[in-house]
Amino acid sequence: MQRPVAPGSLCIVPAGSGQGPPCYVCYCEGPEGPGLDPEPGQTCAFNIYVTDALELWNTSFTPETLEKHKAQHGLDGAEDYSAWFRVACDQHAVSLTLKDDSSVHLTISREAETLTFNLSKVPSPDAAPRLQALMLRLAEQVCRLERQLADPDSGRGAPGPLIRKWMPGESIINPGFKRYHLSAPLLPISPA
């Protein structure tokens, strides 16, 4: 049995044009990044997941359908979809539209190129463990970040760079030197 593993890249995506305020979490899994632990002798394909925390949609790629999708978009079979996804998330270039048939149309962009994906709804019994794994992984990351904020050096093996305090009157341009101010006010020069 395959068990869900924490997602790699993820991003928050607002609903498509005029569909209201709901947001969706979009993340990827697969052989090019974190994903499912396959059973011995099996390989898993890259997949994209979208959830609103109640329902889950995915691309349902097999290795064969993934290669077919890459060919349809004119991409090399070795193209790393997880890198595409990571760049699109960083650049906020991910958009989705919830269709009338309960499927999701997802678009990710990188420079002038665009990839489109149709995601189907995952049945509730299959979605529950994935949503649980996602929620637990996100909670774990929040706890780790809170600990790092409480103790900034806890996330590093060695102490971080020292932050230098500026003394009043010290030059910012030439650290270690005092700023000198004229002791007498400047007087306007009158023409003689």
Side-chain angles (χ1 to χ4, degrees):
M1 177 167 166
Q2 296 177 340
R3 70 175 177 84
V5 173
S9 299
L10 64 84
C11 58
I12 305 295
V13 181
S17 59
Q19 292 182 345
C23 291
Y24 297 87
V25 175
C26 185
Y27 65 98
C28 67
E29 293 181 343
E32 298 155 345
L36 294 174
D37 290 339
E39 292 181 13
Q42 287 186 331
T43 58
C44 60
F46 169 88
N47 278 293
I48 295 177
Y49 295 84
V50 171
T51 183
D52 62 357
L54 297 174
E55 298 176 308
L56 182 69
W57 296 266
N58 76 352
T59 50
S60 302
F61 283 136
T62 63
E64 295 79 26
T65 58
L66 178 63
E67 292 306 315
K68 184 178 175 184
H69 188 268
K70 288 179 180 182
Q72 288 172 343
H73 285 84
L75 298 175
D76 179 13
E79 185 76 31
D80 185 357
Y81 269 15
S82 60
W84 266 80
F85 186 78
R86 197 170 22 265
V87 168
C89 285
D90 290 346
Q91 296 176 348
H92 305 288
V94 180
S95 63
L96 67 85
T97 305
L98 191 59
K99 293 181 170 181
D100 292 335
D101 64 353
S102 296
S103 65
V104 169
H105 180 79
L106 185 78
T107 303
I108 61 174
S109 303
R110 184 175 75 175
E111 298 168 4
E113 298 177 281
T114 300
L115 294 177
T116 58
F117 300 89
N118 289 313
L119 289 78
S120 55
K121 191 172 180 181
V122 177
S124 294
D126 296 333
R130 289 195 175 276
L131 292 173
Q132 181 184 29
L134 176 64
M135 186 208 55
L136 293 173
R137 176 65 175 152
L138 291 174
E140 179 183 305
Q141 289 177 351
V142 167
C143 290
R144 184 174 40 251
L145 290 172
E146 284 177 342
R147 281 193 302 274
Q148 287 176 353
L149 286 174
D151 180 10
D153 291 335
S154 67
R156 299 183 226 136
L162 296 175
I163 298 175
R164 191 176 187 294
K165 290 188 176 184
W166 297 102
M167 301 303 291
E170 187 175 4
S171 171
I172 295 175
I173 297 171
N174 280 332
F177 292 92
K178 292 275 186 177
R179 285 184 287 176
Y180 293 100
H181 298 282
L182 295 174
S183 56
L186 293 176
L187 300 173
I189 301 175
S190 58

